[in-house]
Amino acid sequence: MTLPLDYETLRLIWWALIGVLLIGFALTDGFDLGAMALLPFVAKNDLERRMVINTVSATWEGNQVWFILGGGAIFAAWPYVYAVSFSGFYLAMFLVLAALILRPVGFKYRSKRPDPAWRARWDWALFTGGLVPALVFGVAVGNVLLGAPFRLDGDLRASYEGSLLGLFTPFSLLTGVLSVAMLVTHGAGWLAMKLEPGPVQHRARQIGAGAAVATLVLFAAGGAYVAWGGLGFRMADVVDTGGPSNPHLARAIAAPGAWLDNYGAHPWLMAAPLLGLFGPLVALAGLRIRRDALAFAGSTLAAAGIIATVGLSMFPFILPSAIDPASSLTVWNASSSHLTLFIMLVVVLIFLPIVLAYTTWAYRVMFGRVGAEEVRLNPDMY
């Protein structure tokens, strides 16, 4: 059977689509996580906390689906990556899922009782459900850049030789804090745009401005560490980009500084890190001059640029191995079959425009500022 697209092209398309899904998750569920991480700091009483919670009440469930969609796409398009990462990072994934489970329970149960202690406990659950995933996702990215401690035997069975505490290295903690700062900036931009003028909106702008500066500084520091700290992997053998998926067919090696190779070969790729530096500046300016839509646009650009920088720096690697570089998983050796990728692409081309159109319509219908009076009187509010 001859397919309209060759294997190499389909692999590239799916690598790009996975990147789009990850950016989509950061841009949508990211402001939910950031807003909840800000909850104890911008809201000082029950009414203010309800205002913050209700800025995301209409959209958080749909936004969370991006996370599920991303995991499902990795499972279908890159099964080796899914098998190694979701089993090797099992405890970290469990920590993220446990935190994410707190969010829907907190949203639904918080206002069931008027007891202040009851509500305070659920407020901390919502805070944990926002902060922990943002931190762990960033730590995971740091570990991917460093290389994960796994190896594949001759039968392609993976063995993971790391631990949960081993994931928290100085560099991965830097990327974890960067992730928190990035999403807090995004959440602050969302709160500034969704809340009616008042003290909560003012606090969100102030904290968001500080988070935007932290995002800029941490991203620059992370880039300097990658450039001068000697991180990177490189293929040692000629790769058959249209060949079968088998990590043993071409060896990879650890190569200090190799994460900068793609920028030297294709200078236009520098647009991604420049966007990651420019976005926080736009967000900071928007928050300072009270142009809330500009602030949210800046945090959006920052998240997209930072995530794209990671993917473009690592290409063609998806999950390198720190202890056995020859076991590293790449775009070329870890994908599903040619036919599988083609069928998935057809499905995406049919349904993704429908999903995006519905999402756009839903945001437009449910958009509007949240105020104290509305929260106090509307029985449908959390």
Side-chain angles (χ1 to χ4, degrees):
M1 178 181 178
T2 302
L3 298 177
L5 294 172
D6 60 64
Y7 204 4
E8 177 185 4
T9 301
L10 282 169
R11 283 167 162 164
L12 287 172
I13 289 173
W14 272 102
W15 171 79
L17 283 174
I18 294 296
V20 170
L21 290 176
L22 292 177
I23 291 173
F25 171 66
L27 297 186
T28 55
D29 207 38
F31 67 72
D32 293 347
L33 298 176
M36 291 304 99
L38 285 168
L39 182 62
F41 308 105
V42 299
K44 302 302 182 181
N45 56 51
D46 182 67
L47 180 61
E48 290 182 348
R49 285 189 283 272
R50 289 185 63 201
M51 289 169 60
V52 171
I53 291 169
N54 279 285
T55 62
V56 301
S57 62
T59 57
W60 71 267
E61 289 179 285
N63 292 341
Q64 193 162 279
V65 173
W66 284 90
F67 177 63
I68 301 169
L69 183 60
I74 293 173
F75 169 76
W78 313 99
Y80 288 116
V81 176
Y82 181 91
V84 173
S85 60
F86 277 66
S87 58
F89 297 153
Y90 180 80
L91 292 177
M93 292 291 181
F94 182 83
L95 183 62
V96 168
L97 291 175
L100 290 177
I101 288 171
L102 290 175
R103 289 206 303 164
V105 181
F107 282 128
K108 300 299 183 182
Y109 277 80
R110 182 194 181 277
S111 297
K112 295 296 184 183
R113 293 172 58 185
D115 179 28
W118 168 272
R119 293 190 172 187
R121 285 191 290 270
W122 287 117
D123 289 338
W124 281 107
L126 290 171
F127 167 73
T128 302
L131 179 67
V132 171
L135 177 65
V136 174
F137 286 141
V139 168
V141 171
N143 278 278
V144 170
L145 287 166
L146 291 167
F150 74 95
R151 67 176 79 247
L152 300 174
D153 65 15
D155 296 321
L156 297 180
R157 291 176 298 189
S159 59
Y160 184 82
E161 301 179 14
S163 64
L164 180 61
L165 292 179
L167 298 176
F168 295 92
T169 64
F171 178 71
S172 66
L173 286 174
L174 185 151
T175 57
V177 177
L178 169 59
S179 175
V180 172
M182 179 184 77
L183 295 184
V184 165
T185 305
H186 201 39
W190 176 257
L191 292 179
M193 192 168 57
K194 283 286 290 182
L195 290 168
E196 289 187 351
V200 184
Q201 186 193 57
H202 177 68
R203 295 183 201 117
R205 286 188 181 128
Q206 285 187 315
I207 298 174
V213 173
T215 301
L216 179 64
V217 171
L218 290 169
F219 183 52
Y225 189 97
V226 169
W228 292 298
L231 300 186
F233 293 81
R234 187 179 292 133
M235 298 306 300
D237 300 324
V238 176
V239 179
D240 181 4
T241 57
S245 290
N246 186 339
H248 292 321
L249 293 181
R251 293 179 303 111
I253 58 172
W259 287 155
L260 301 180
D261 287 356
N262 289 336
Y263 300 107
H266 307 285
W268 62 270
L269 296 179
M270 284 297 298
L274 290 176
L275 194 63
L277 294 170
F278 178 68
L281 292 174
V282 175
L284 176 62
L287 291 166
R288 286 298 189 193
I289 65 175
R290 300 185 180 184
R291 295 292 185 267
D292 303 323
L294 179 66
F296 189 71
S299 65
T300 297
L301 294 175
I306 291 170
I307 295 171
T309 297
V310 175
L312 294 173
S313 299
M314 293 183 58
F315 183 86
F317 289 89
I318 302 178
L319 187 63
S321 171
I323 60 175
D324 181 23
S327 296
S328 297
L329 304 177
T330 73
V331 172
W332 316 122
N333 68 18
S335 72
S336 292
S337 69
H338 191 178
L339 180 60
T340 299
L341 295 182
F342 178 74
I343 293 174
M344 290 171 57
L345 181 60
V346 172
V347 173
V348 166
L349 292 176
I350 294 172
F351 289 102
L352 185 58
I354 298 173
V355 172
L356 292 176
Y358 172 76
T359 302
T360 302
W361 174 83
Y363 268 87
R364 182 176 180 179
V365 169
M366 293 183 286
F367 194 80
R369 292 188 181 269
V370 177
E373 193 66 19
E374 181 184 13
V375 170
R376 186 184 292 112
L377 299 177
N378 191 335
D380 295 325
M381 291 285 194
Y382 282 140

mmCIF file of all heavy atoms in Angstrom, residues 280-313:
data_model
loop_
_atom_site.group_PDB
_atom_site.id
_atom_site.type_symbol
_atom_site.label_atom_id
_atom_site.label_comp_id
_atom_site.label_asym_id
_atom_site.label_seq_id
_atom_site.Cartn_x
_atom_site.Cartn_y
_atom_site.Cartn_z
ATOM 1 N N PRO A 280 8.072 37.551 28.200
ATOM 2 C CA PRO A 280 7.968 38.074 29.562
ATOM 3 C C PRO A 280 8.062 39.597 29.629
ATOM 4 O O PRO A 280 7.428 40.224 30.487
ATOM 5 C CB PRO A 280 9.156 37.422 30.281
ATOM 6 C CG PRO A 280 9.446 36.187 29.506
ATOM 7 C CD PRO A 280 9.117 36.530 28.087
ATOM 8 N N LEU A 281 8.840 40.202 28.719
ATOM 9 C CA LEU A 281 8.938 41.656 28.698
ATOM 10 C C LEU A 281 7.605 42.278 28.306
ATOM 11 O O LEU A 281 7.183 43.296 28.879
ATOM 12 C CB LEU A 281 10.031 42.096 27.719
ATOM 13 C CG LEU A 281 11.470 41.752 28.118
ATOM 14 C CD1 LEU A 281 12.434 42.120 27.005
ATOM 15 C CD2 LEU A 281 11.853 42.464 29.418
ATOM 16 N N VAL A 282 6.927 41.663 27.329
ATOM 17 C CA VAL A 282 5.601 42.155 26.928
ATOM 18 C C VAL A 282 4.610 41.990 28.066
ATOM 19 O O VAL A 282 3.804 42.900 28.358
ATOM 20 C CB VAL A 282 5.120 41.405 25.676
ATOM 21 C CG1 VAL A 282 3.694 41.822 25.313
ATOM 22 C CG2 VAL A 282 6.050 41.664 24.498
ATOM 23 N N ALA A 283 4.657 40.823 28.743
ATOM 24 C CA ALA A 283 3.755 40.591 29.875
ATOM 25 C C ALA A 283 4.014 41.604 30.983
ATOM 26 O O ALA A 283 3.072 42.156 31.577
ATOM 27 C CB ALA A 283 3.940 39.171 30.398
ATOM 28 N N LEU A 284 5.284 41.871 31.274
ATOM 29 C CA LEU A 284 5.639 42.845 32.313
ATOM 30 C C LEU A 284 5.113 44.232 31.953
ATOM 31 O O LEU A 284 4.512 44.916 32.796
ATOM 32 C CB LEU A 284 7.155 42.867 32.480
ATOM 33 C CG LEU A 284 7.717 43.901 33.465
ATOM 34 C CD1 LEU A 284 7.199 43.635 34.870
ATOM 35 C CD2 LEU A 284 9.248 43.875 33.446
ATOM 36 N N ALA A 285 5.311 44.635 30.705
ATOM 37 C CA ALA A 285 4.829 45.947 30.274
ATOM 38 C C ALA A 285 3.311 46.028 30.377
ATOM 39 O O ALA A 285 2.758 47.034 30.861
ATOM 40 C CB ALA A 285 5.283 46.226 28.842
ATOM 41 N N GLY A 286 2.623 44.977 29.927
ATOM 42 C CA GLY A 286 1.169 44.984 29.988
ATOM 43 C C GLY A 286 0.641 45.075 31.409
ATOM 44 O O GLY A 286 -0.335 45.793 31.677
ATOM 45 N N LEU A 287 1.289 44.372 32.335
ATOM 46 C CA LEU A 287 0.851 44.417 33.729
ATOM 47 C C LEU A 287 1.138 45.771 34.359
ATOM 48 O O LEU A 287 0.357 46.270 35.171
ATOM 49 C CB LEU A 287 1.541 43.302 34.521
ATOM 50 C CG LEU A 287 1.090 41.877 34.171
ATOM 51 C CD1 LEU A 287 2.055 40.842 34.749
ATOM 52 C CD2 LEU A 287 -0.326 41.602 34.673
ATOM 53 N N ARG A 288 2.254 46.374 33.978
ATOM 54 C CA ARG A 288 2.634 47.664 34.559
ATOM 55 C C ARG A 288 1.736 48.803 34.072
ATOM 56 O O ARG A 288 1.381 49.706 34.840
ATOM 57 C CB ARG A 288 4.093 47.982 34.218
ATOM 58 C CG ARG A 288 5.117 47.159 34.991
ATOM 59 C CD ARG A 288 5.011 47.401 36.470
ATOM 60 N NE ARG A 288 6.118 46.798 37.203
ATOM 61 C CZ ARG A 288 6.135 46.646 38.513
ATOM 62 N NH1 ARG A 288 5.091 47.026 39.234
ATOM 63 N NH2 ARG A 288 7.171 46.104 39.117
ATOM 64 N N ILE A 289 1.383 48.776 32.804
ATOM 65 C CA ILE A 289 0.578 49.871 32.258
ATOM 66 C C ILE A 289 -0.915 49.534 32.246
ATOM 67 O O ILE A 289 -1.711 50.253 31.670
ATOM 68 C CB ILE A 289 1.048 50.255 30.840
ATOM 69 C CG1 ILE A 289 0.829 49.104 29.856
ATOM 70 C CG2 ILE A 289 2.510 50.673 30.850
ATOM 71 C CD1 ILE A 289 1.173 49.457 28.412
ATOM 72 N N ARG A 290 -1.267 48.407 32.847
ATOM 73 C CA ARG A 290 -2.662 47.986 33.001
ATOM 74 C C ARG A 290 -3.343 47.721 31.663
ATOM 75 O O ARG A 290 -4.511 48.049 31.474
ATOM 76 C CB ARG A 290 -3.441 49.030 33.812
ATOM 77 C CG ARG A 290 -2.887 49.243 35.202
ATOM 78 C CD ARG A 290 -3.739 50.191 36.018
ATOM 79 N NE ARG A 290 -3.191 50.384 37.348
ATOM 80 C CZ ARG A 290 -3.763 51.110 38.302
ATOM 81 N NH1 ARG A 290 -4.915 51.737 38.045
ATOM 82 N NH2 ARG A 290 -3.196 51.229 39.487
ATOM 83 N N ARG A 291 -2.590 47.138 30.752
ATOM 84 C CA ARG A 291 -3.150 46.658 29.488
ATOM 85 C C ARG A 291 -3.215 45.141 29.602
ATOM 86 O O ARG A 291 -2.281 44.434 29.252
ATOM 87 C CB ARG A 291 -2.298 47.101 28.304
ATOM 88 C CG ARG A 291 -2.259 48.590 28.080
ATOM 89 C CD ARG A 291 -3.622 49.115 27.638
ATOM 90 N NE ARG A 291 -3.592 50.545 27.310
ATOM 91 C CZ ARG A 291 -3.875 51.516 28.161
ATOM 92 N NH1 ARG A 291 -4.205 51.200 29.417
ATOM 93 N NH2 ARG A 291 -3.828 52.772 27.796
ATOM 94 N N ASP A 292 -4.341 44.662 30.141
ATOM 95 C CA ASP A 292 -4.427 43.270 30.567
ATOM 96 C C ASP A 292 -4.357 42.285 29.398
ATOM 97 O O ASP A 292 -3.741 41.226 29.503
ATOM 98 C CB ASP A 292 -5.713 43.054 31.363
ATOM 99 C CG ASP A 292 -5.797 43.983 32.562
ATOM 100 O OD1 ASP A 292 -4.744 44.233 33.185
ATOM 101 O OD2 ASP A 292 -6.896 44.482 32.859
ATOM 102 N N ALA A 293 -4.990 42.621 28.278
ATOM 103 C CA ALA A 293 -4.923 41.746 27.112
ATOM 104 C C ALA A 293 -3.485 41.646 26.602
ATOM 105 O O ALA A 293 -3.031 40.578 26.176
ATOM 106 C CB ALA A 293 -5.848 42.258 26.006
ATOM 107 N N LEU A 294 -2.745 42.745 26.657
ATOM 108 C CA LEU A 294 -1.339 42.734 26.247
ATOM 109 C C LEU A 294 -0.519 41.850 27.178
ATOM 110 O O LEU A 294 0.358 41.095 26.726
ATOM 111 C CB LEU A 294 -0.787 44.157 26.248
ATOM 112 C CG LEU A 294 0.686 44.313 25.850
ATOM 113 C CD1 LEU A 294 0.889 43.924 24.389
ATOM 114 C CD2 LEU A 294 1.148 45.755 26.095
ATOM 115 N N ALA A 295 -0.794 41.931 28.474
ATOM 116 C CA ALA A 295 -0.080 41.096 29.442
ATOM 117 C C ALA A 295 -0.324 39.617 29.175
ATOM 118 O O ALA A 295 0.610 38.805 29.196
ATOM 119 C CB ALA A 295 -0.513 41.454 30.859
ATOM 120 N N PHE A 296 -1.576 39.267 28.909
ATOM 121 C CA PHE A 296 -1.900 37.867 28.642
ATOM 122 C C PHE A 296 -1.274 37.414 27.334
ATOM 123 O O PHE A 296 -0.783 36.288 27.220
ATOM 124 C CB PHE A 296 -3.417 37.682 28.599
ATOM 125 C CG PHE A 296 -3.852 36.246 28.544
ATOM 126 C CD1 PHE A 296 -3.714 35.423 29.646
ATOM 127 C CD2 PHE A 296 -4.406 35.715 27.387
ATOM 128 C CE1 PHE A 296 -4.116 34.097 29.607
ATOM 129 C CE2 PHE A 296 -4.804 34.397 27.333
ATOM 130 C CZ PHE A 296 -4.666 33.586 28.441
ATOM 131 N N ALA A 297 -1.254 38.285 26.333
ATOM 132 C CA ALA A 297 -0.600 37.950 25.069
ATOM 133 C C ALA A 297 0.896 37.727 25.281
ATOM 134 O O ALA A 297 1.495 36.812 24.702
ATOM 135 C CB ALA A 297 -0.832 39.054 24.045
ATOM 136 N N GLY A 298 1.512 38.550 26.138
ATOM 137 C CA GLY A 298 2.933 38.385 26.418
ATOM 138 C C GLY A 298 3.241 37.077 27.110
ATOM 139 O O GLY A 298 4.202 36.382 26.759
ATOM 140 N N SER A 299 2.427 36.707 28.098
ATOM 141 C CA SER A 299 2.648 35.426 28.778
ATOM 142 C C SER A 299 2.404 34.252 27.844
ATOM 143 O O SER A 299 3.058 33.207 27.954
ATOM 144 C CB SER A 299 1.754 35.324 30.017
ATOM 145 O OG SER A 299 0.372 35.306 29.662
ATOM 146 N N THR A 300 1.495 34.426 26.899
ATOM 147 C CA THR A 300 1.253 33.390 25.888
ATOM 148 C C THR A 300 2.470 33.217 24.998
ATOM 149 O O THR A 300 2.917 32.091 24.728
ATOM 150 C CB THR A 300 0.031 33.771 25.038
ATOM 151 O OG1 THR A 300 -1.136 33.828 25.869
ATOM 152 C CG2 THR A 300 -0.193 32.763 23.919
ATOM 153 N N LEU A 301 3.033 34.329 24.537
ATOM 154 C CA LEU A 301 4.240 34.273 23.712
ATOM 155 C C LEU A 301 5.400 33.658 24.485
ATOM 156 O O LEU A 301 6.186 32.876 23.932
ATOM 157 C CB LEU A 301 4.618 35.677 23.237
ATOM 158 C CG LEU A 301 3.652 36.363 22.270
ATOM 159 C CD1 LEU A 301 4.118 37.792 21.988
ATOM 160 C CD2 LEU A 301 3.522 35.577 20.976
ATOM 161 N N ALA A 302 5.518 33.996 25.758
ATOM 162 C CA ALA A 302 6.613 33.463 26.572
ATOM 163 C C ALA A 302 6.520 31.952 26.688
ATOM 164 O O ALA A 302 7.516 31.235 26.483
ATOM 165 C CB ALA A 302 6.584 34.107 27.961
ATOM 166 N N ALA A 303 5.338 31.440 27.014
ATOM 167 C CA ALA A 303 5.171 29.991 27.166
ATOM 168 C C ALA A 303 5.432 29.269 25.855
ATOM 169 O O ALA A 303 6.130 28.242 25.821
ATOM 170 C CB ALA A 303 3.764 29.684 27.679
ATOM 171 N N ALA A 304 4.890 29.800 24.757
ATOM 172 C CA ALA A 304 5.101 29.170 23.452
ATOM 173 C C ALA A 304 6.580 29.173 23.081
ATOM 174 O O ALA A 304 7.127 28.166 22.602
ATOM 175 C CB ALA A 304 4.277 29.882 22.382
ATOM 176 N N GLY A 305 7.260 30.293 23.304
ATOM 177 C CA GLY A 305 8.670 30.385 22.949
ATOM 178 C C GLY A 305 9.549 29.478 23.787
ATOM 179 O O GLY A 305 10.474 28.831 23.270
ATOM 180 N N ILE A 306 9.283 29.406 25.084
ATOM 181 C CA ILE A 306 10.104 28.576 25.974
ATOM 182 C C ILE A 306 9.945 27.097 25.648
ATOM 183 O O ILE A 306 10.923 26.348 25.552
ATOM 184 C CB ILE A 306 9.742 28.869 27.442
ATOM 185 C CG1 ILE A 306 10.209 30.284 27.812
ATOM 186 C CG2 ILE A 306 10.360 27.841 28.372
ATOM 187 C CD1 ILE A 306 9.706 30.767 29.152
ATOM 188 N N ILE A 307 8.707 26.648 25.448
ATOM 189 C CA ILE A 307 8.476 25.232 25.133
ATOM 190 C C ILE A 307 9.042 24.885 23.760
ATOM 191 O O ILE A 307 9.664 23.828 23.571
ATOM 192 C CB ILE A 307 6.976 24.921 25.212
ATOM 193 C CG1 ILE A 307 6.482 25.095 26.649
ATOM 194 C CG2 ILE A 307 6.688 23.495 24.731
ATOM 195 C CD1 ILE A 307 4.986 25.026 26.804
ATOM 196 N N ALA A 308 8.839 25.774 22.778
ATOM 197 C CA ALA A 308 9.389 25.532 21.441
ATOM 198 C C ALA A 308 10.908 25.472 21.477
ATOM 199 O O ALA A 308 11.532 24.683 20.740
ATOM 200 C CB ALA A 308 8.924 26.616 20.478
ATOM 201 N N THR A 309 11.545 26.271 22.324
ATOM 202 C CA THR A 309 13.000 26.259 22.438
ATOM 203 C C THR A 309 13.508 24.883 22.859
ATOM 204 O O THR A 309 14.500 24.378 22.320
ATOM 205 C CB THR A 309 13.465 27.321 23.450
ATOM 206 O OG1 THR A 309 13.097 28.612 22.973
ATOM 207 C CG2 THR A 309 14.972 27.266 23.650
ATOM 208 N N VAL A 310 12.823 24.270 23.811
ATOM 209 C CA VAL A 310 13.234 22.939 24.263
ATOM 210 C C VAL A 310 13.140 21.934 23.120
ATOM 211 O O VAL A 310 14.081 21.174 22.851
ATOM 212 C CB VAL A 310 12.371 22.484 25.456
ATOM 213 C CG1 VAL A 310 12.707 21.041 25.845
ATOM 214 C CG2 VAL A 310 12.570 23.410 26.646
ATOM 215 N N GLY A 311 12.012 21.921 22.431
ATOM 216 C CA GLY A 311 11.823 20.956 21.353
ATOM 217 C C GLY A 311 12.795 21.154 20.207
ATOM 218 O O GLY A 311 13.375 20.185 19.689
ATOM 219 N N LEU A 312 13.010 22.393 19.802
ATOM 220 C CA LEU A 312 13.905 22.673 18.688
ATOM 221 C C LEU A 312 15.360 22.407 19.056
ATOM 222 O O LEU A 312 16.152 21.979 18.211
ATOM 223 C CB LEU A 312 13.742 24.126 18.231
ATOM 224 C CG LEU A 312 12.389 24.476 17.612
ATOM 225 C CD1 LEU A 312 12.288 25.976 17.369
ATOM 226 C CD2 LEU A 312 12.166 23.719 16.306
ATOM 227 N N SER A 313 15.725 22.659 20.299
ATOM 228 C CA SER A 313 17.091 22.390 20.736
ATOM 229 C C SER A 313 17.393 20.899 20.703
ATOM 230 O O SER A 313 18.500 20.481 20.323
ATOM 231 C CB SER A 313 17.318 22.927 22.153
ATOM 232 O OG SER A 313 17.122 24.316 22.219
#
